[in-house]
Amino acid sequence: VRSRRQRQMCIRDREIKILTPLIEYIKSIERLLNDVKIGDVSKLFDESKTKKYLSTQLASETFSNLSLKGVGSQEWVIMWRSVEGFVSSLGSELNFPPKEGDPCPTCLQEVSLDAETRLSAFENYVKSDIQTQATQAEHDYTRVVKVIAALQFSLVEYQAALDLVCRVDPNECDVLEQLLNQYRSRAEMVKSNAFGEPILPIDTSPLTRLKEMVLLLEGHLEATKDDVM
């Protein structure tokens, strides 16, 4: 038969195991959306937008004599790299971009001198520092946005932990919900690229109090173990 102290140990150990997943869940969100990180994401967005603008300006200047609009956009760059990969996969001696007299790898017609000049200009544009930086900046920002967009903001799975917290302080559950809503708002801001307004700091003291609660339980657990021994 378990003694009263042994029962207390079991209860405290169970409470620690109930609270810990909730703490880890909030920490996982905080790591991606804390004040410093959201500032970094905002900088990535600004960098991506600025470099895309510079790239667009360069494309406009480089291809201003063409009747087609949008030449040099990211979609064109993707198409260009796809064709380049296709030519490379053939393992042939085809030039890329094709030169005068070569068969075009997409339309199979003979490339004229004028076409060679235009294709060469596009290749130089794609390889330019501005375009390379713009592509990298957009990739970096998109990668971060995808990670943040995949976050789930729900405390449903942690109801047992919330019940435990509410027994200690009934108001604390609402505070934790408010904390989660603040992080959710930040995630929505990132997903919609809405970085126009100042980013207000988030009070993370609810998470600190959760950690302190677990530390207190761990201290009681250790003390109870010593008494039993």
Side-chain angles (χ1 to χ4, degrees):
V1 179
R2 291 179 179 177
S3 67
R4 188 173 71 86
R5 290 190 181 279
Q6 287 175 324
R7 289 196 297 273
Q8 288 177 339
M9 286 173 56
C10 290
I11 291 172
R12 283 163 182 160
D13 183 61
R14 184 171 67 251
E15 288 175 341
I16 291 170
K17 290 178 178 176
I18 289 173
L19 289 171
T20 299
L22 173 59
I23 292 173
E24 293 303 318
Y25 166 65
I26 297 175
K27 282 170 60 179
S28 70
I29 292 176
E30 195 267 345
R31 277 192 293 269
L32 291 172
L33 293 170
N34 63 54
D35 294 343
V36 174
K37 286 292 185 182
I38 200 66
D40 291 342
V41 175
S42 178
K43 290 177 183 176
L44 277 177
F45 172 72
D46 289 340
E47 184 178 352
S48 175
K49 186 170 65 173
T50 299
K51 290 182 176 178
K52 184 175 182 180
Y53 171 77
L54 292 175
S55 176
T56 301
Q57 289 297 103
L58 176 61
S60 178
E61 294 170 6
T62 304
F63 309 115
S64 59
N65 60 331
L66 299 181
S67 57
L68 282 174
K69 292 184 178 181
V71 177
S73 67
Q74 191 61 28
E75 290 77 15
W76 275 82
V77 174
I78 292 172
M79 179 274 293
W80 185 260
R81 288 304 182 208
S82 297
V83 176
E84 182 182 23
F86 167 69
V87 171
S88 177
S89 70
L90 296 177
S92 65
E93 296 181 356
L94 286 175
N95 295 309
F96 189 85
K99 299 184 180 299
E100 181 185 10
D102 289 345
C104 174
T106 55
C107 69
L108 304 181
Q109 295 184 28
E110 185 175 297
V111 173
S112 65
L113 178 59
D114 184 47
E116 178 190 343
T117 302
R118 291 198 299 269
L119 293 172
S120 179
F122 194 92
E123 174 72 353
N124 291 334
Y125 163 74
V126 169
K127 288 183 175 179
S128 68
D129 286 342
I130 292 177
Q131 171 55 30
T132 301
Q133 291 175 18
T135 301
Q136 186 61 49
E138 183 173 5
H139 170 77
D140 292 343
Y141 178 67
T142 301
R143 177 175 51 81
V144 171
V145 171
K146 283 182 179 179
V147 173
I148 291 175
L151 289 173
Q152 298 296 317
F153 297 90
S154 174
L155 295 174
V156 173
E157 294 181 28
Y158 308 97
Q159 190 57 53
L162 293 175
D163 292 341
L164 184 58
V165 170
C166 286
R167 288 208 303 269
V168 177
D169 185 349
N171 295 322
E172 200 66 14
C173 287
D174 291 337
V175 172
L176 287 171
E177 189 68 49
Q178 290 169 11
L179 176 63
L180 199 65
N181 284 336
Q182 287 179 290
Y183 284 129
R184 182 188 289 110
S185 295
R186 279 191 175 178
E188 291 299 326
M189 179 181 67
V190 172
K191 288 191 287 185
S192 59
N193 300 326
F195 289 103
E197 299 297 324
I199 301 173
L200 300 177
I202 289 179
D203 179 11
T204 59
S205 60
L207 177 58
T208 301
R209 288 194 292 273
L210 268 181
K211 294 177 183 178
E212 290 172 346
M213 188 175 178
V214 168
L215 287 174
L216 184 62
L217 287 169
E218 289 175 342
H220 287 321
L221 181 59
E222 289 302 315
T224 306
K225 285 180 180 179
D226 292 340
D227 291 342
V228 170
M229 292 179 181

